[in-house]
Amino acid sequence: GIVTLVGRGTTYFAGSRAARVHNLVKVAESLRGTVIPPNGIFSFQKYGEPVTAANGYEDSLIIWGDRTAVGIGGGVCQVSTTVFRAAFFSGMPIVERHNHGYIVSWYGKPGFDATIYLPDVDFKFRNATGHYLLLRPVVNTQRGILTIELYGTNPGWTVQVDKAVVSNVKAPPRPRYQEDKTLPKGRIRQVEWPQKGMTVQVRRIVRQGNKVLRDE
């Protein structure tokens, strides 16, 4: 039943540091050839390889709670976000999804990201097409474009995604300075950039003909 393109998600990473691009490409390639059976659950924890230094992942900037920090696997969440978009816009039921602690500029409009921190925070969706799904990553490092494609059998759904509704907008806090003993004396390096806080609500309606399958 793997006969046609049924979903696609895209994000952009031009300008990322080399370590971030390395991690992004590595985890995307680890998903190449993933096949999800009918009614099966795609799980980043199940299908992606462990993000560890032993597996060749490098230190890069990651979101650690409410701040940016250096850790193994920076850039991996760009792949989970892109898989989420492929599943979301193709109408797949989302089983588990968590937003980042704050807006990440790499992911464009807020409300369409999905963070992972394995094994505790996962991204999952269910293949509800009734046929097998094949996941195919397409990485263009020269242009900084990551695309995740889902191939299978067109389920005949129509997917309506309304414009995101933004509310509860809050100004960012004042700048904060803290000592970093790894820097030369007197050197200041910026690692955070101000972002407004907000609540973002996105409505998705999946229909089969005139029948509403999912209104979320």
Side-chain angles (χ1 to χ4, degrees):
I2 301 175
V3 294
T4 190
L5 180 70
V6 298
R8 177 187 283 126
T10 298
T11 58
Y12 303 89
F13 59 90
S16 292
R17 296 182 179 182
R20 187 175 190 275
V21 175
H22 167 82
N23 294 335
L24 182 156
V25 172
K26 187 165 173 39
V27 76
E29 288 300 327
S30 78
L31 295 173
R32 184 175 299 281
T34 293
V35 175
I36 309 153
N39 210 41
I41 302 293
F42 170 88
S43 160
F44 232 90
Q45 180 172 335
K46 176 181 177 181
Y47 289 102
E49 67 179 5
V51 180
T52 62
N55 278 342
Y57 289 89
E58 299 179 2
D59 281 338
S60 186
L61 295 179
I62 63 171
I63 293 179
W64 184 273
D66 64 347
R67 67 184 63 188
T68 301
V70 175
I72 293 292
V76 169
C77 286
Q78 179 127 13
V79 181
S80 60
T81 289
T82 314
V83 177
F84 165 64
R85 292 184 181 183
F88 182 80
F89 288 109
S90 62
M92 304 296 170
I94 305 301
V95 177
E96 180 181 351
R97 174 257 174 184
H98 306 271
N99 59 275
H100 288 79
Y102 48 85
I103 294 172
V104 182
S105 59
W106 298 112
Y107 307 146
K109 294 181 180 180
F112 296 97
D113 64 302
T115 187
I116 58 167
Y117 189 76
L118 304 179
D120 303 312
V121 178
D122 201 356
F123 168 68
K124 300 177 182 178
F125 73 88
R126 182 167 60 87
N127 172 14
T129 66
H131 300 271
Y132 285 85
L133 273 181
L134 171 69
L135 189 152
R136 176 176 181 258
V138 182
V139 187
N140 187 324
T141 54
Q142 290 185 331
R143 298 178 60 192
I145 303 174
L146 169 64
T147 299
I148 298 293
E149 298 177 335
L150 299 175
Y151 286 87
T153 297
N154 189 336
W157 303 329
T158 58
V159 182
Q160 172 188 330
V161 178
D162 293 347
K163 184 178 179 180
V165 177
V166 176
S167 62
N168 194 29
V169 177
K170 296 182 178 181
R174 295 170 61 87
R176 178 173 59 187
Y177 299 86
Q178 63 187 47
E179 184 177 0
D180 183 345
K181 295 182 179 179
T182 65
L183 294 178
K185 186 176 180 179
R187 177 75 58 85
I188 295 177
R189 181 169 68 99
Q190 184 176 3
V191 297
E192 305 279 10
W193 282 262
Q195 290 279 11
K196 293 180 180 178
M198 62 186 67
T199 298
V200 182
Q201 184 173 354
V202 179
R203 184 183 185 189
R204 181 184 72 162
I205 304 174
V206 182
R207 297 182 176 89
Q208 187 93 51
N210 294 324
K211 182 181 179 181
V212 174
L213 301 179
R214 288 176 284 283
D215 186 347
E216 305 159 312

